[in-house]
Amino acid sequence: MAVLHIAVVGAGLIGRVHIQTIESSTDCQLQAIVDPGDNAAQLAAACQVPCLDSLQALLDWQRPDAIIIATPNALHVEQARQCLAAGIPVLLEKPVATDHASGLILLEDVRRYGVPVLVGHHRAHSDIMSQACQTLAGGKLGRLVSIMGSAQFYKPAEYFRQAPWRSQAGGGPILINMIHEVHNLRMLMGEITQVQAMASNEIRRFAVEDTLAINLRFTSGALGTFLLSDTAASASSWELTSGENPAYPQQNDENCYWVSGTRGSLSIPTLVTRLHPAEQESSWWQRMNVDTPVRGQVDPLSRQLAHFLDVVRGASEPRVSIEDGLANLRVVEAISLAATSSQMVSLI
């Protein structure tokens, strides 16, 4: 099987992770880094690959087998469209666009050119999420009633100094972080039909929110609540509880999702289930049986890259399509609208 040559556009936080993942693979090779920054040039020199200052310069220089786009959100649609027009498969970091309307333009190009695009919702490749979804789909919890979720963490000032766009419109934790959570919520509970939200920027005073409280309704009738904050000193977030990204310290005793059904509950990512005995009626007077299974721990970004290589070779369809990415974006936009309008927003 031929080794594929991959170029990475954007050498920021997630771009560097993609570069490391490529260099750890035996099935692909880093061909070039595209980023006009001095730090990117230093990184490229360390990786012994060229550093180009624009995507067009890359396309004029040498055609890679595939491209990973990990640039600021506002550049995603324009750069992905360039790749599609050149016939080059793309792994496009989330969000697919900063708004649903521009994302639809990208979708038109995907259909026009027939070039595959995989959206970088890497938790779709997580062993933990796979086990959790299997538990819920198997009906062990009975009929699903509710989910509580949390993505609370403290981003240091340096995070914003390195990339000022994160504190402006098109950045912020709704688009940068909540869109991951929305994808998780949809995988676990099904489609979201209504949202309510309250937002605050009282701590950082940026042009974007720093804290958000959200209510959700799912197609099944189940309800959900979610707390999002990038200024809360808390370990209740996927990054800090799942242990899937070694850059973050793992909090083994914490969870960030709690799902309840008529027969029991599931905590995620520990995957602890609490179930009423099958032979007894559910009752708060009954002691629940507790099970803590061994959970998988495969790096989802490595698994995502392997899947992307299969997509590039034509051996697989994208597990997270543009349509799926747009569905996540549509929910995120509804959350933003609900927060600014103080109204419940319907998605159906």
Side-chain angles (χ1 to χ4, degrees):
M1 186 163 48
V3 172
L4 297 179
H5 294 85
I6 313 293
V8 175
V9 183
L13 190 62
I14 188 61
R16 288 171 179 263
V17 174
H18 283 299
I19 290 166
Q20 292 170 2
T21 305
I22 291 169
E23 295 210 301
S24 298
S25 172
T26 57
D27 296 322
C28 63
Q29 180 177 325
L30 183 66
Q31 178 169 314
I33 295 172
V34 178
D35 192 306
D38 292 339
N39 291 338
Q42 295 172 12
L43 177 61
C47 296
Q48 297 183 319
V49 297
C51 184
L52 299 105
D53 61 4
S54 72
L55 177 55
Q56 189 59 54
L58 170 70
L59 298 176
D60 291 341
W61 170 63
Q62 194 172 52
R63 175 193 171 94
D65 294 310
I67 291 175
I68 296 176
I69 296 176
T71 49
N73 299 344
L75 300 176
H76 286 185
V77 169
E78 174 191 347
Q79 292 179 333
R81 294 185 73 196
Q82 277 185 271
C83 296
L84 294 176
I88 300 174
V90 177
L91 194 168
L92 177 62
E93 265 303 327
K94 57 76 200 168
V96 295
T98 55
D99 61 86
H100 191 260
S102 59
L104 288 175
I105 296 172
L106 177 57
L107 177 60
E108 290 178 5
D109 275 5
V110 171
R111 292 171 174 171
R112 175 185 302 121
Y113 294 112
V115 177
V117 176
L118 174 67
V119 181
H121 282 288
H122 63 273
R123 295 179 195 169
H125 308 270
S126 161
D127 270 343
I128 296 169
M129 280 300 298
S130 177
Q131 289 179 254
C133 289
Q134 288 174 17
T135 296
L136 299 184
K140 288 177 65 174
L141 303 191
R143 181 173 177 179
L144 296 184
V145 175
S146 64
I147 184 169
M148 296 187 296
S150 171
Q152 298 188 88
F153 35 75
Y154 197 97
K155 293 177 179 176
E158 182 62 21
Y159 175 86
F160 300 99
R161 284 196 293 266
Q162 288 176 347
W165 66 269
R166 292 167 175 157
S167 64
Q168 303 301 318
I174 291 182
L175 267 178
I176 293 174
N177 303 107
M178 190 64 202
I179 197 155
H180 272 311
E181 311 303 332
V182 166
H183 193 68
N184 278 7
L185 292 167
R186 291 179 56 235
M187 286 192 287
L188 292 167
M189 303 293 289
E191 296 304 324
I192 296 167
T193 60
Q194 289 179 309
V195 299
Q196 294 174 307
M198 291 190 296
S200 171
N201 65 349
E202 287 296 316
I203 303 298
R204 297 195 191 277
R205 294 289 184 175
F206 288 157
V208 291
E209 73 290 335
D210 55 46
T211 304
L212 205 76
I214 307 164
N215 292 326
L216 308 119
R217 184 186 298 274
F218 298 87
T219 302
S220 66
L223 301 180
T225 63
F226 202 95
L227 279 173
L228 169 71
S229 180
D230 67 9
T231 189
S234 169
S236 294
S237 70
W238 185 267
E239 288 82 2
L240 294 173
T241 60
S242 70
E244 289 183 335
N245 187 338
Y248 298 95
Q250 184 176 1
Q251 307 294 317
N252 293 312
D253 59 342
E254 284 278 1
N255 286 287
C256 58
Y257 297 111
W258 298 264
V259 183
S260 296
T262 55
R263 296 295 302 170
S265 62
L266 170 68
S267 301
I268 306 169
T270 61
L271 300 176
V272 172
T273 57
R274 290 174 171 82
L275 301 171
H276 284 298
E279 67 278 7
Q280 297 177 358
E281 180 183 0
S282 291
S283 168
W284 63 0
W285 302 116
Q286 296 290 345
R287 182 178 297 275
M288 304 178 85
N289 296 325
V290 180
D291 180 43
T292 306
V294 176
R295 70 187 193 190
Q297 200 63 54
V298 176
D299 174 22
L301 282 161
S302 295
R303 183 172 283 175
Q304 176 182 253
L305 177 61
H307 172 63
F308 181 50
L309 299 182
D310 283 343
V311 169
V312 174
R313 293 186 174 106
S316 180
E317 293 295 317
R319 182 172 298 172
V320 185
S321 65
I322 286 288
E323 289 89 344
D324 210 12
L326 284 173
N328 296 330
L329 183 58
R330 188 164 175 256
V331 174
V332 164
E333 284 192 329
I335 291 170
S336 294
L337 177 59
T340 55
S341 68
S342 300
Q343 300 292 320
M344 180 180 289
V345 176
S346 175
L347 288 141
I348 56 174

